[in-house]
Amino acid sequence: MARVEADNFLGPGSESLVPHSRVPSCPSVEVFDAMSKVISLREIIAALDAASDDCTSYLDPETGEIVVVTEEERALAEDPCWEEAPAWQREMMPKIRAALESDRFLELPDRFDIHEWSIMERFSRTQNIEQIRSELLNAIHGAGAFRAFRSAIRRLGLEQSWYQFRDEALAEIARSWLEEHKLQYT
């Protein structure tokens, strides 16, 4: 379990993934639940960016805290003997169990909801030069599509454009999810 801190969650060398200057800070004009805390869009984006197969992220709308639960922690929380776990694991169990069992916590979109392949396809289709567009679209088909795509954008000098496009796509997913749950954000 971890609390996502957008400024340092991704670690050194990943500043281009969620730069502060590109994250919109204007909430939607919809009616929001007055009982909820104002949620950090930047933290939601960071959690979406970190989504993986072996963990699930949950938002506590009352506090704005994001709780990340690994498969190992989930299994431990479901084990009737979890109280026999080491002290450091037992300390995390109340929040993990609350995230898993409480109706208050909301599960954030996972890797499959984000569907990075479709983001890569949309990016490829936005390329104005036919040769580049074709090369990128070819790269995302077949085995190793993600690796081939990353190699192609690097070779074509499109890394910065790709990460900006991807960041904007994640921001849109985050905004849509927050608005769907009627949560106010900044």
Side-chain angles (χ1 to χ4, degrees), residues 96-111:
I96 291 171
R97 291 178 67 108
L100 295 174
E101 298 169 2
S102 170
D103 290 337
R104 185 178 84 208
F105 283 79
L106 302 171
E107 185 176 337
L108 290 170
D110 63 16
R111 249 177 29 87

Side-chain angles (χ1 to χ4, degrees), residues 112-173:
F112 300 103
D113 297 324
I114 295 167
H115 204 261
E116 189 160 349
W117 188 89
S118 70
I119 298 171
M120 293 186 314
E121 181 183 35
R122 287 194 318 266
F123 175 78
S124 300
R125 293 190 186 285
T126 65
Q127 300 309 302
N128 294 326
I129 301 171
E130 175 60 34
Q131 182 179 359
I132 292 173
R133 184 172 48 249
S134 287
E135 185 172 343
L136 292 175
L137 287 169
N138 287 333
I140 62 172
H141 288 72
F146 288 89
R147 188 174 335 124
F149 179 80
R150 285 188 175 85
S151 180
I153 62 167
R154 200 171 308 124
R155 185 176 60 259
L156 296 167
L158 296 172
E159 282 180 295
Q160 184 175 358
S161 295
W162 158 245
Y163 286 115
Q164 180 177 358
F165 187 91
R166 183 177 177 276
D167 290 347
E168 290 168 4
L170 290 176
E172 181 55 37
I173 292 167

